[in-house]
Amino acid sequence: MLVNAGTSDAGVRCDSLKELASVSTDVTFAQEFIILYYLSLHVCVGTKYLFFYLCFMELMDHGIVSWENLSSVFIKKVLFVNAKPTDASIQQVSLDILESMVLSSSNLFLQVKLEVTMERLIAHLQVTNQQIQTKAMALLMALLQTAADSDRQDMFAFLNKKNLRQYIYKNIIHSSGSVQDEMAHYLYVLQSVTLNHLEPRMRTPLDCYSQEQRDILHGLRQAAFETESDNSLSHERRRSLCAKEFKKLGFSNNSNPGQDLVRTPPGLLALDTMYYFAARYPDAYSRFVLENSSREDKHECPFARSSIQLTLILCEILRIGEPPSETRSDYHPIFFSQDRLMEELFCVCIQLLNKTWKEMRATQEDFDKVMQVVREQITRTLSSKPTSLELFKNKVNALNYSEILKLRQTERLHQEETLAPPVLELKERLKPELLELIRQQRLNRLCQGTMFKKISSRRRQDKLWYCRLSPNHKMLHYGDVEEDLDNPPIETLQEKIPVADIKGLLMGKDCPHMKENKGKQNKALDLAFSITYDVEEYSLNFIAPSRTDFCLWTDGLSVLLGREMSSESMRSELEILLSMEIKLRLLDLENVPIPDSAPVVPKPPSNYNFCYDFSQTEQ
């Protein structure tokens, strides 16, 4: 094969190299080939044939030969091929080779760094070929991750000057094609390496002896409160005023607020985010602080304490300080749309925190609960991959506290598998039986009877009357009773109405006694109901002693009339009974996944000759 690879016939040479590249994947072949012909292949590098490079990569992937053994002549040949416009496939493999060089040896890293300029890599990223873009991004990430801190800072400064982030945002993330998994991984790595520049600030506590840091703290106080000139106040007066204002600002240690920023993380990064918010959005900052300092003490949202905790939450969500994973690809498109993502996210989220605090009617004791909800709001919104800060802001503000509660409830039900299609079908089958149980309970409650108050035109409510259903459910007995008689016998109730004569059930404002006393009985409106009988000429009017009794009686009377029960009490009880019954039935299926659809029933066999015929008498 190698002899044919050196022939002058282009077709034969190409076929031989293609075959050589395919068999190089076998480790045994690779070992023998490297012993006999490795130097011959080494000399061939620089040719225009793609399969030379593919063969070389396959041989090197076995790890038999170290990348350190590569000569400078070889490296220059690969760099020469990469530099000039050639076949796209050859450029991809050459970029792949250069990436492997950078990751394998510090000496090779320095050589590649000197020869492969940032301009050339950016030029590779600007082509339309996605594979070349991906390989160029892979080489760029290898260079950034391998470089020393000072070199990495210089490289980032150059890339920022060339607007690499904006280019990626417009031409890769928003390109016509979708971002492939490999490119997504490199975008995640770029995001991670960039955000990790904030780690030193996150790991550094505030130095109480640093005049610069103390000035920033006092700048936050002065931006929030218009105070008297410090020069006109005595030392004690000035110190007392500062402590009072730092307390309003939300610092726990108001006499020495720097102590709140000693904890790392978030360290000085929390001070940076607060100062950025106050300087970039002064109106929103002043509104936040003044609004909360004028609330009752127990309901005020502490700005400083909230900011410190929010900064820590954002560091954890964005994984600042964690080295890039080799497998993750969950980059945030919003990162490539903002120059200072951490600070801008903080500015949006601190205002969200204040909004959520008010929605939850939180007090200082609820601080941790509020922060949990805010973390969930941020995490859920970022998981939807918003492509701009404005879109993130709209989505996260729409995800209010009530929406979070609904989502939690839905997820809990899904976790319990109560929303799986087979479980929902089982619920529908159980409903008739449980509704019948509720009907019987309502009729039994009517048989026990209830004490009602009489409402007269003179507003005297001291008279009582009792109503109950007969045991055979055919008569409704009622009559006046004494106050000390709790459960009068059915024989003592003088009046009765046959159930067969009841024509209708009226509730609320439709009741005759509510129409007669319109405007006077608003409090009783939700408890009023009436039954009409004798061709709707007469009615028996009720005002239930409680909402529970109202639901029981209206449901019971609906059952007697052959109607559907409609009270909120019935719906609640039905849901409880269904939930209990479902849990009991699923006990044996604990930790067993329930499929969404039933298994497919196989087709019947073509004949049943395999069945034993019991009809014939055995001899």
Side-chain angles (χ1 to χ4, degrees):
M1 287 183 288
L2 194 59
V3 172
N4 289 335
T7 184
S8 59
D9 190 326
V12 174
R13 185 161 63 240
C14 184
D15 291 340
S16 299
L17 289 170
K18 186 175 182 180
E19 185 180 359
L20 184 60
S22 64
V23 297
S24 295
T25 57
D26 182 77
V27 66
T28 305
F29 173 85
Q31 287 174 334
E32 294 299 321
F33 183 86
I34 286 170
I35 293 170
L36 298 173
Y37 303 112
Y38 178 70
L39 289 176
S40 299
L41 184 68
H42 194 166
V43 173
C44 291
V45 172
T47 182
K48 63 181 180 180
Y49 287 102
L50 166 68
F51 297 106
F52 269 116
Y53 302 99
L54 292 175
C55 179
F56 176 78
M57 281 300 295
E58 291 293 347
L59 292 171
M60 295 302 291
D61 282 347
H62 293 297
I64 300 169
V65 179
S66 172
W67 288 90
E68 293 278 5
N69 295 335
L70 299 178
S71 66
S72 58
V73 175
F74 169 83
I75 297 170
K76 288 184 181 297
K77 285 183 177 181
V78 176
L79 291 168
F80 174 76
V81 170
N82 180 256
K84 65 179 184 177
T86 55
D87 180 73
S89 300
I90 296 177
Q91 282 198 326
Q92 289 174 37
V93 183
S94 66
L95 287 167
D96 216 356
I97 294 172
L98 293 172
E99 181 198 2
S100 298
M101 290 180 188
V102 170
L103 295 175
S104 62
S105 164
S106 57
N107 291 329
L108 291 175
F109 159 72
L110 293 174
Q111 285 186 265
V112 174
K113 179 175 175 292
L114 287 173
E115 298 292 339
V116 181
T117 62
M118 292 290 108
E119 288 95 335
R120 191 188 303 175
L121 282 177
I122 292 174
H124 283 314
L125 287 172
Q126 291 174 345
V127 301
T128 56
N129 187 310
Q130 288 190 351
Q131 291 300 320
I132 291 181
Q133 284 182 335
T134 303
K135 296 301 180 184
M137 183 65 80
L139 178 55
L140 178 60
M141 292 305 100
L143 290 167
L144 284 172
Q145 289 183 272
T146 311
D149 289 341
S150 57
D151 288 340
R152 189 183 300 119
Q153 293 286 357
D154 293 340
M155 292 166 72
F156 269 116
F158 180 83
L159 294 173
N160 289 334
K161 185 179 177 181
K162 293 294 182 180
N163 297 320
L164 175 66
R165 180 185 53 75
Q166 291 91 332
Y167 178 81
I168 291 173
Y169 183 71
K170 292 178 182 177
N171 297 283
I172 295 179
I173 294 176
H174 286 289
S175 65
S176 56
S178 60
V179 177
Q180 300 300 312
D181 291 343
E182 190 177 0
M183 176 60 85
H185 169 70
Y186 295 127
L187 293 177
Y188 153 76
V189 173
L190 178 58
Q191 169 189 293
S192 181
V193 173
T194 306
L195 288 174
N196 279 347
H197 285 165
L198 299 172
E199 184 181 5
R201 300 290 288 179
M202 183 184 77
R203 303 286 184 196
T204 306
L206 183 136
D207 181 4
C208 295
Y209 297 101
S210 168
Q211 186 61 43
E212 180 187 358
Q213 295 170 17
R214 285 160 55 191
D215 288 345
I216 293 174
L217 275 174
H218 284 283
L220 288 172
R221 175 183 63 82
Q222 292 166 355
F225 307 103
E226 293 183 5
T227 57
E228 305 172 44
S229 174
D230 289 349
N231 297 327
S232 63
L233 299 174
S234 65
H235 176 72
E236 289 299 323
R237 171 66 179 156
R238 185 167 62 248
R239 187 172 180 178
S240 172
L241 182 62
C242 288
K244 183 179 178 181
E245 290 178 345
F246 276 124
K247 183 179 180 181
K248 287 183 178 180
L249 205 52
F251 284 95
S252 301
N253 192 332
N254 54 303
S255 59
N256 186 9
Q259 290 296 319
D260 289 19
L261 294 160
V262 170
R263 182 179 57 138
T264 58
L268 287 176
L269 189 57
L271 182 63
D272 294 342
T273 53
M274 285 190 283
Y275 184 73
Y276 183 88
F277 178 50
R280 182 73 187 272
Y281 304 100
D283 292 341
Y285 170 69
S286 299
R287 185 165 56 250
F288 185 113
V289 176
L290 296 176
E291 177 185 320
N292 284 285
S293 61
S294 62
R295 286 187 195 169
E296 298 178 27
D297 287 345
K298 62 179 183 178
H299 286 293
E300 63 184 5
C301 178
F303 171 76
R305 184 186 176 193
S306 301
S307 297
I308 293 167
Q309 191 62 28
L310 177 61
T311 304
L312 177 60
I313 287 173
L314 288 173
C315 288
E316 291 171 353
I317 291 174
L318 298 175
R319 295 187 173 87
I320 295 174
E322 294 183 18
S325 166
E326 294 182 1
T327 57
R328 300 186 73 96
S329 59
D330 51 343
Y331 73 96
H332 298 297
I334 191 176
F335 166 78
F336 297 93
S337 71
Q338 288 295 320
D339 286 324
R340 304 185 67 173
L341 176 68
M342 177 68 182
E343 291 86 347
E344 289 293 342
L345 276 182
F346 174 86
C347 294
V348 172
C349 295
I350 192 65
Q351 296 176 78
L352 167 74
L353 190 151
N354 189 39
K355 173 174 168 285
T356 303
W357 184 281
K358 290 186 284 187
E359 290 171 353
M360 295 177 66
R361 297 183 177 86
T363 62
Q364 295 292 332
E365 290 76 17
D366 301 319
F367 182 82
D368 290 338
K369 293 180 182 177
V370 176
M371 297 313 297
Q372 287 174 6
V373 172
V374 170
R375 176 191 286 271
E376 193 171 343
Q377 289 171 315
I378 298 169
T379 306
R380 287 181 183 275
T381 305
L382 285 177
S383 66
S384 68
K385 302 289 185 184
T387 54
S388 67
L389 186 69
E390 190 63 30
L391 191 57
F392 171 83
K393 184 178 180 180
N394 294 337
K395 285 188 173 184
V396 81
N397 282 297
L399 194 62
N400 55 34
Y401 179 54
S402 60
E403 286 296 319
I404 289 290
L405 292 180
K406 289 177 185 176
L407 288 169
R408 286 177 176 177
Q409 175 72 4
T410 304
E411 288 172 358
R412 185 182 63 81
L413 293 174
H414 275 294
Q415 192 174 3
E416 295 174 358
E417 294 184 324
T418 52
L419 292 181
V423 177
L424 293 176
E425 185 179 345
L426 178 59
K427 273 187 174 183
E428 291 301 319
R429 294 189 181 187
L430 291 173
K431 267 186 183 180
E433 179 184 345
L434 297 177
L435 281 171
E436 183 58 32
L437 185 65
I438 295 173
R439 289 190 194 97
Q440 290 302 319
Q441 188 271 340
R442 296 297 194 259
L443 293 175
N444 291 338
R445 186 65 183 80
L446 264 60
C447 290
Q448 292 177 9
T450 303
M451 189 85 72
F452 297 94
K453 289 184 179 181
K454 277 193 172 182
I455 302 295
S456 65
S457 58
R458 298 178 181 178
R459 300 186 184 179
R460 292 187 61 192
Q461 300 184 19
D462 51 342
K463 289 190 177 181
L464 304 173
W465 63 287
Y466 202 86
C467 186
R468 66 190 301 174
L469 182 66
S470 62
N472 61 6
H473 303 168
K474 292 185 177 181
M475 289 288 181
L476 204 59
H477 298 263
Y478 66 97
D480 295 342
V481 294
E482 297 297 330
E483 188 173 356
D484 56 351
L485 196 59
D486 290 336
N487 192 8
I490 198 167
E491 296 82 11
T492 62
L493 303 176
Q494 305 87 357
E495 305 293 336
K496 59 184 178 181
I497 301 173
V499 172
D501 291 347
I502 298 176
K503 305 300 179 185
L505 173 64
L506 305 174
M507 289 180 277
K509 61 183 180 181
D510 295 328
C511 299
H513 56 312
M514 290 295 104
K515 291 179 179 178
E516 293 169 5
N517 299 288
K518 190 174 182 181
K520 299 180 181 179
Q521 304 293 335
N522 290 333
K523 293 181 180 179
L525 193 62
D526 291 338
L527 303 176
F529 63 97
S530 303
I531 55 173
T532 56
Y533 57 97
D534 283 345
V535 200
E536 300 187 6
E537 290 184 5
Y538 301 98
S539 64
L540 184 61
N541 303 319
F542 301 78
I543 293 182
S546 67
R547 187 66 187 175
T548 302
D549 288 306
F550 174 84
C551 293
L552 291 170
W553 272 85
T554 52
D555 284 345
L557 291 170
S558 296
V559 172
L560 290 174
L561 294 172
R563 299 177 184 175
E564 294 291 330
M565 298 179 290
S566 59
S567 72
E568 65 269 20
S569 178
M570 180 277 300
R571 291 192 291 271
S572 174
E573 290 170 20
L574 178 62
E575 192 59 39
I576 291 170
L577 290 171
L578 278 171
S579 177
M580 291 174 62
E581 189 67 26
I582 289 292
K583 287 178 181 178
L584 287 172
R585 302 229 178 175
L586 296 180
L587 276 177
D588 293 336
L589 292 177
E590 189 173 2
N591 297 325
V592 176
I594 301 174
D596 288 343
S597 56
V600 178
V601 178
K603 294 180 180 179
S606 57
N607 62 72
Y608 295 89
N609 296 337
F610 57 86
C611 295
Y612 183 78
D613 188 0
F614 288 96
S615 61
Q616 297 180 359
T617 307
E618 295 184 3
Q619 298 296 329

